[in-house]
Amino acid sequence: MAATKIPEVVLGSSNGHRTMPVLGFGTAANNLEPEVLIAAVLDAIKLGYRHFDTASIYTSEQTLGEAVAEAIKLGLIASRDQVFITSKLWCNDAHPDLVISTLKKSLQNLQMEYLDLYLIHWHISATPGKLVYPLSEEYLLPLDLKGVWAAMEEAQRLGLTKSIGVSNFSTKKTENLLSFATIPPSVNQVEMSPFWQQKKLRDFCKANGIVVTAYSPLGAMGTNWGTSHVLESKVLQEIAEARGKSVAQVCIRWILQVGATLAVKSYNKERLKQNLQVFDWELSQEDLDKISQIPQRKMMRSEELISANGPYKSLEDFWDGEI
Ligand code: A2P
């Protein structure tokens, strides 16, 4: 089977009009054995995946780097610049004076000279030191967004990353960042699926040239934050049956059709292949209308980041009402 050519989206003029494959491979899985991840990345590259999403907190950077090096050695890709690598700054490192050294640590883990995209993982900081997940009350600190963003911009200027962006930012927090950023964020990576459609954020990001990337597009089954309600949805099952597709393909196609990009997780060759078969068919307007009626249920609420003594006293406050 010939490898699929995944379409790419432009990340904006402040990023030199760089492009990012619209469909990426996520590595945020619990207890993923390194050899399983390496084999899946090699399968994914053979199939046509070129965008790989990691984060310091996932502890997958090193293995992903080894897998890419192996892919080059095997001749599956000619060089590192044929893949798009995203990583993220964890809360314990979200301090202005730690951004550059933390990014360099990620590069060391990956055995790479630059990232394609570096994201602030959450709009909250935590006591510097050991990376903690899940965070709890005693670690939580307010994020110095201006200072951290200035360091992110510096990282881009230094060539340590080609583009910069954010993750888990509400519309209001993204708008605030735009009010002072010299280099605007190119991406906001957020929870998004037919069960958490992010209409308001998507409209805002579109109007401001920010690409939205969906994480957990299938409900992240198998992780400690995952849910089965996406893959078991009756509405999605009916659409899938009528189109001769799987529910996963309907979810992926829906994300692409509403103008977002995504990082989907699978470590199974057949499902990796299936998830790529989304570029030569369309959901109808009727399908889109049915999906837009699905009652909304946010999965990643992050209650642990709310505390009477912390920077956010309520979920309302943390998500600016987008909950
Ligand atoms: P597996 O690795 O066994 O394929 P998300 O991308 O929302 O985080 O969801 C990831 C979960 O969805 C994983 O458990 C993954 O399992 C599963 N998954 C990925 N692709 C498919 C698919 N095409 N059909 C069913 N489950 C899938």
Side-chain angles (χ1 to χ4, degrees):
M1 191 187 109
T4 302
K5 175 78 189 100
I6 298 180
E8 308 213 340
V9 63
V10 176
L11 292 183
S13 54
S14 57
N15 299 280
H17 299 285
R18 291 186 177 274
T19 60
M20 174 177 86
V22 296
L23 195 158
F25 174 113
T27 66
N30 300 126
N31 308 318
L32 185 59
E33 296 294 334
E35 49 283 13
V36 173
L37 180 56
I38 290 179
V41 170
L42 293 175
D43 282 340
I45 290 177
K46 285 180 202 154
L47 291 166
Y49 288 81
R50 291 293 180 271
H51 171 180
F52 295 88
D53 181 87
T54 181
S56 55
I57 197 68
Y58 304 161
T59 65
S60 56
E61 289 175 327
Q62 199 170 336
T63 313
L64 175 58
E66 281 170 32
V68 171
E70 181 67 15
I72 295 169
K73 208 159 99 193
L74 293 172
L76 302 177
I77 46 173
S79 58
R80 181 263 174 265
D81 61 11
Q82 295 191 350
V83 287
F84 185 104
I85 306 288
T86 302
S87 192
K88 312 187 192 81
L89 176 77
W90 187 244
C91 312
N92 301 99
D93 295 318
H95 302 272
D97 57 336
L98 294 181
V99 173
I100 302 276
S101 57
T102 303
L103 171 41
K104 285 183 176 166
K105 222 177 292 163
S106 285
L107 291 176
Q108 209 177 0
N109 290 337
L110 285 155
Q111 293 294 311
M112 291 180 185
E113 285 173 7
Y114 67 91
L115 289 176
D116 293 278
L117 179 64
Y118 197 43
L119 307 177
I120 299 178
H121 210 143
W122 287 90
H123 196 290
I124 194 163
S125 181
T127 322
K130 193 174 160 289
L131 303 195
V132 183
Y133 177 81
L135 284 164
S136 53
E137 202 170 345
E138 68 266 32
Y139 299 102
L140 304 178
L141 293 171
L143 177 69
D144 170 4
L145 182 60
K146 278 194 180 166
V148 169
W149 191 253
M152 296 286 285
E153 291 179 342
E154 181 61 10
Q156 181 174 318
R157 283 189 205 102
L158 289 170
L160 298 170
T161 182
K162 304 289 183 195
S163 301
I164 50 177
V166 294
S167 181
N168 296 299
F169 272 39
S170 66
T171 306
K172 188 174 165 188
K173 289 178 174 59
T174 311
E175 194 172 17
N176 174 43
L177 173 56
L178 285 178
S179 72
F180 59 79
T182 307
I183 301 176
S186 54
V187 167
N188 189 0
Q189 185 182 120
V190 293
E191 175 185 348
M192 179 177 160
S193 77
F195 279 77
W196 195 248
Q197 298 187 8
Q198 298 275 19
K199 176 88 174 77
K200 181 179 170 195
L201 182 75
R202 278 192 281 121
D203 288 347
F204 177 82
C205 286
K206 189 174 176 203
N208 288 281
I210 301 170
V211 172
V212 170
T213 299
Y215 71 71
S216 303
L218 310 180
M221 281 282 285
T223 64
N224 54 10
W225 66 91
T227 170
S228 61
H229 62 241
V230 181
L231 291 177
E232 290 175 1
S233 155
K234 282 268 169 306
V235 177
L236 296 177
Q237 278 171 359
E238 279 168 22
I239 295 172
E241 241 164 70
R243 301 238 150 254
K245 305 292 174 192
S246 70
V247 170
Q249 288 172 317
V250 169
C251 290
I252 296 169
R253 182 69 214 175
W254 172 79
I255 287 168
L256 297 173
Q257 252 177 267
V258 298
T261 64
L262 72 154
V264 58
K265 296 199 285 293
S266 180
Y267 309 108
N268 168 286
K269 190 168 185 183
E270 282 315 304
R271 288 190 285 280
L272 280 168
K273 199 189 286 182
Q274 185 196 116
N275 294 348
L276 282 181
Q277 289 161 5
V278 289
F279 298 110
D280 58 355
W281 58 278
E282 280 186 359
L283 292 165
S284 66
Q285 189 55 49
E286 198 188 329
D287 296 334
L288 296 174
D289 291 343
K290 278 190 199 154
I291 294 173
S292 71
Q293 300 302 314
I294 292 176
Q296 297 295 284
R297 276 158 80 172
K298 185 156 176 49
M299 173 187 70
M300 179 72 92
R301 293 167 62 83
S302 306
E303 320 246 357
E304 72 281 4
L305 303 180
I306 310 306
S307 147
N309 304 315
Y312 295 104
K313 317 284 184 229
S314 69
L315 281 176
E316 201 46 37
D317 202 12
F318 185 72
W319 294 107
D320 300 306
E322 289 163 20
I323 181 84

